[in-house]
Structures are given as C-alpha cells and as structure tokens.
Amino acid sequence: SVLGNLALVLRARREFAEGESIQREALRVLEVSGAGQGADAGVAWLNIASLCRDQGKVDEAVEAGVRAVAILERTPETDPWLVAAARMAMGRALAAAKRWREAEAPLLAAWTALAPLDIDARRRSAALLAVFQLYRDWAAADAGGMPADALESWRGKVRAFDEANPGVIPEGSY
C-alpha cells in the first residue's frame, strides 16, 4: 500500500518513470506474497496503465489496463468505482493508441456503471469526461469513422452534468 501510494504521489508530481518503477515493485511484492491476483494487484495494474500512458508507452498501458480489468472484474465485492477506473485506464490507453473503436466499449461501460451511483460527482465526472474526450479526439483524427453525432451528444451530457454539479468539470473541458 505504501509503495502504491508513493507511486501515485510521484504521478501527481509528473515523475512518471519513477512512479511506474515504484508501482511495479509494489506489484512484485504482491505477487511474491501470493496476492498477485487480488484487488490490490488489480489497482496496481490500473496505476501502471496510467503511468505508462503518461509516458507515451501506449502498448504497455493497454496491456496493463487489460490486466487491471480482468483482475478487478473477477474479484468478488470489488468497489464498482475501482472496476470503472480500470475500464477507464484501459479505454484511455486504447484511445492513446488511436484504437478508437476498441476504446469505446470500456469507456462507455465505466460511465454506465458510475452514472447512477450515489458517489462523489468528481469520480463520476472522470468517466463522463473520458467518454467525451474519446469522441473529441476520435473526431479530430477520423470524424467519418466514429458514430454519427456522438461528439455533440456527449458534449451535451458533459454540459448538463456541469450545470447540475457546478465546479466539478474543469473549465474549458468541453
């Protein structure tokens, strides 16, 4: 836990390579202790996915995201937020790899899971913004290849969420 928290601090400080190294060490400790397939390992893979994406290592980020989702989806009683966060990490990694269609399903699943939950609006907004950002980036790269009207539809959802939850969505996000 301490190593994982340190990795998150390093990510916040934009020290991505060191954060990844620390998070991988935390994962190694979990694996040696026999907990390499539990929820803590799923969270470690989720964090590795984000740290790799931050460094532009998109193939590694995708692989780590897939592992995070696989572990957290099969771990009983996992917090729905963690499963959604893993899906977001995987979806964002796929989007960073410009694998738009593949990114769509996990990002939509994360939003679908979080939207109705009575949890902090910032947590829910992360999934909403991830979907919107997918469509925004996809439209910029290949507007003809994405679902018709998806970008404007999701922009409207972000705007409505922003109006219902003032101050949660960062200014200029949509």
Side-chain angles (χ1 to χ4, degrees), residues 82-108:
L82 287 177
V83 176
R87 289 177 180 150
M88 282 188 283
M90 181 175 77
R92 286 177 172 149
L94 287 162
K98 298 181 177 23
R99 293 165 59 181
W100 313 115
R101 288 197 190 288
E102 291 173 74
E104 190 175 29
L107 293 175
L108 290 172

Side-chain angles (χ1 to χ4, degrees), residues 7-85:
L8 292 176
V9 168
L10 291 167
R11 182 172 188 231
R13 291 176 50 182
R14 306 189 62 77
E15 297 176 26
F16 305 130
E18 188 173 353
E20 179 191 355
S21 176
I22 296 291
Q23 189 62 74
R24 287 187 185 277
E25 177 62 16
L27 183 60
R28 189 191 68 72
V29 168
L30 288 168
E31 289 170 346
V32 167
S33 72
Q37 294 299 309
D40 289 339
V43 171
W45 281 114
L46 183 166
N47 292 336
I48 290 168
S50 297
L51 287 157
C52 286
R53 189 189 79 236
D54 293 337
Q55 297 172 77
K57 296 162 45 175
V58 293
D59 291 337
E60 289 180 54
V62 169
E63 180 184 333
V66 168
R67 287 180 180 222
V69 169
I71 291 170
L72 292 171
E73 282 184 340
R74 73 171 178 255
T75 303
E77 300 180 31
T78 299
D79 183 336
W81 160 250
L82 287 177
V83 176

Side-chain angles (χ1 to χ4, degrees), residues 122 161-171:
R122 288 192 194 286
F161 188 95
D162 191 25
E163 290 171 5
N165 302 277
V168 172
I169 302 286
E171 192 172 324

